[in-house]
Amino acid sequence: MSDADLHPRVPARLVLLSLAALWACYFIVASLRGVVMGFELAWPILSRRLTICIVSMLLMAAVWPLLQLLERKSGGMRLGIVLIGALPLSLALSIVNDVIFADIEIAPYGSEDEAAQAKAGNVRISRDEAGNILVDLPKLPPIPAPPVPGSTEAPEIPTVPSEESTEDSSSSAITINTGTALGKSLGHWAGIADTAFGRYFLVLAWAALYFALAKAEEARAAERREGEYRRAAEAAELRSLRYQVNPHFLFNTLNSLSALVMVGRQDDAEEMIQTLSTFYRRTLSGDPTNDLSLVDEIELQRLYFAIEAVRFPNRLLTHIDIDDAVMDAKVPGMILQPLVENSVKYAVAATQRPVTIAIEARREGGQLVIAVHDDGPGVLGEGQKKADGIGIGLNNVCDRLRARYGDAATITYGKRSDGGFATILRMPLEAGNA
């Protein structure tokens, strides 16, 4: 198992997307707040706010490796470190805000919205070299003097001074002394602290979002591990069940070889050994957990029929009817072997007359239906040994279908109404090129 599965990490793309979403929300909310308060969406303000968002996002991305170190810490330790560590980061973000808006004529405490208000109206707020706040009031139109009672002369209208004269006049400007240099400095840092307070909660919100994403990655990794363990367990079960077939089949075949040798049928015994060798070469060459195409599975059963035909040359008859539409369908390897063996053992070997063993396969909707039946005596009520023998083979097939398909596959078996025994398998139809 890879280290990424044991210690999953939040992808860098997801981290950057979370930061971009956070600061995009801040940009939109801050801009809408200005609109609600009656401020214009002036480009000098918007451009600087956008710059603040980009720089702040990069600063927060720089602390991402530090958050990765906290992923394996306990919840309490993680919370304490984040609460303390967010303080210097939020202060740095506030200083970035102050620096970027430094060239904007600002009102006390450096509020960007107040600056926008000052630039949007007729009031101009600035500072002189001494740090005093200068408020330039709008020029009011001249008011004519009231007429003198009984006078016939028109009242004299004062002339409006020219633009040049107003620029040199200080009568329209109000100077506000902000106090000592220490007071001005304290006020400036108070504005930075106020901004840092808001940035602090932004940092905490993103840290909480990051750890939530980390937990989600851990959950996904746990699901992948669980899936791998489940598949490994299913493969082990399938392999175990599949290996049960070979010893059982080999035991029966060796008994048949022994019987041939004892009656002096050496040529038949040699033919059986050659066929048995071919059979095992095919069955042991691949992974026992892999599926086979139905046509290959049928060929294995043909080899088995050839082996048993040496023992029962006149009593074993076979009939194979496979629909062309399901020739390439996938089935578990040697899934039919225990069923065919049961028919040979309890139908052909149990009688002295010819017995036909049939294998049929067809499609029913989205399922593959395979039937193995014979016209032998069927399962007798007495003879517990025979019933137990049949049970072993059927149980193996049932367990393999369950391990491979779950509830999607079924098996039914029993005596036929016209004599003999039948077993019917139904499983999902999976094409060979799927």
Side-chain angles (χ1 to χ4, degrees), residues 14-326:
L14 194 56
V15 174
L16 295 178
L17 283 177
S18 66
L19 283 171
L22 177 72
W23 285 102
C25 289
Y26 167 80
F27 180 84
I28 294 173
V29 171
S31 300
L32 291 178
R33 173 177 174 268
V35 172
V36 171
M37 296 181 66
F39 305 148
E40 295 181 359
L41 293 177
W43 173 245
I45 300 296
L46 293 179
S47 62
R48 285 165 174 78
R49 184 178 293 143
L50 181 61
T51 303
I52 288 173
C53 291
I54 295 175
V55 175
S56 300
M57 185 182 73
L58 295 177
L59 279 177
M60 292 177 67
V63 304
W64 169 38
L66 300 179
L67 293 180
Q68 285 183 319
L69 299 177
L70 299 178
E71 290 180 12
R72 303 178 193 176
K73 303 294 183 182
S74 64
M77 180 179 296
R78 187 186 304 169
L79 178 62
I81 294 176
V82 169
L83 289 176
I84 297 174
L87 292 173
L89 179 58
S90 60
L91 181 60
L93 297 177
S94 178
I95 294 175
V96 168
N97 181 87
D98 184 72
V99 170
I100 292 178
F101 273 100
D103 61 337
I104 294 291
E105 294 174 350
I106 57 175
Y109 300 113
S111 169
E112 57 179 273
D113 291 327
E114 292 173 358
Q117 183 184 32
K119 295 184 72 66
N122 296 321
V123 178
R124 181 175 178 272
I125 303 175
S126 60
R127 297 179 187 269
D128 59 11
E129 295 181 356
N132 298 319
I133 297 177
L134 304 179
V135 181
D136 292 336
L137 301 177
K139 305 299 185 293
L140 300 177
I143 301 175
V148 179
S151 173
T152 59
E153 295 181 0
E156 182 181 354
I157 300 177
T159 60
V160 179
S162 64
E163 183 178 353
E164 290 78 3
S165 63
T166 59
E167 289 181 354
D168 296 334
S169 174
S170 60
S171 59
S172 61
I174 299 176
T175 301
I176 301 176
N177 194 326
T178 58
T180 63
L182 177 60
K184 291 182 290 183
S185 177
L186 290 176
H188 178 70
W189 281 104
I192 292 178
D194 182 66
T195 305
F197 182 75
R199 298 295 192 268
Y200 180 74
F201 289 100
L202 277 178
V203 174
L204 292 183
W206 179 69
L209 175 62
Y210 174 81
F211 288 123
L213 294 175
K215 284 296 182 182
E217 288 296 323
E218 291 179 4
R220 281 191 287 268
E223 290 178 359
R224 288 193 296 268
R225 289 195 299 270
E226 181 183 359
E228 291 177 2
Y229 294 150
R230 187 185 303 112
R231 287 190 293 272
E234 292 174 354
E237 183 179 8
L238 285 171
R239 189 175 290 107
S240 174
L241 293 169
R242 171 65 176 77
Y243 285 149
Q244 288 179 6
V245 177
N246 288 339
H248 186 259
F249 165 71
L250 182 59
F251 175 77
N252 292 337
T253 306
L254 291 178
N255 282 340
S256 300
L257 281 172
S258 176
L260 291 175
V261 172
M262 289 179 64
V263 299
R265 297 171 58 183
Q266 283 80 5
D267 293 341
D268 292 338
E270 182 178 355
E271 181 181 353
M272 180 181 287
I273 291 173
Q274 293 296 330
T275 309
L276 181 64
S277 175
T278 303
F279 180 87
Y280 268 104
R281 185 164 54 249
R282 292 191 180 183
T283 57
L284 298 179
S285 59
D287 188 342
T289 62
N290 288 344
D291 295 338
L292 295 177
S293 63
L294 182 59
V295 64
D296 292 336
E297 176 70 11
I298 296 300
E299 286 302 314
L300 288 177
Q301 303 316 310
R302 291 184 190 275
L303 284 174
Y304 176 71
F305 284 140
I307 293 172
E308 294 298 341
V310 177
R311 291 176 59 199
F312 310 106
N314 301 318
R315 286 155 49 189
L316 175 59
L317 305 177
T318 60
H319 174 73
I320 298 176
D321 183 14
I322 308 299
D323 190 349
D324 292 339
V326 297

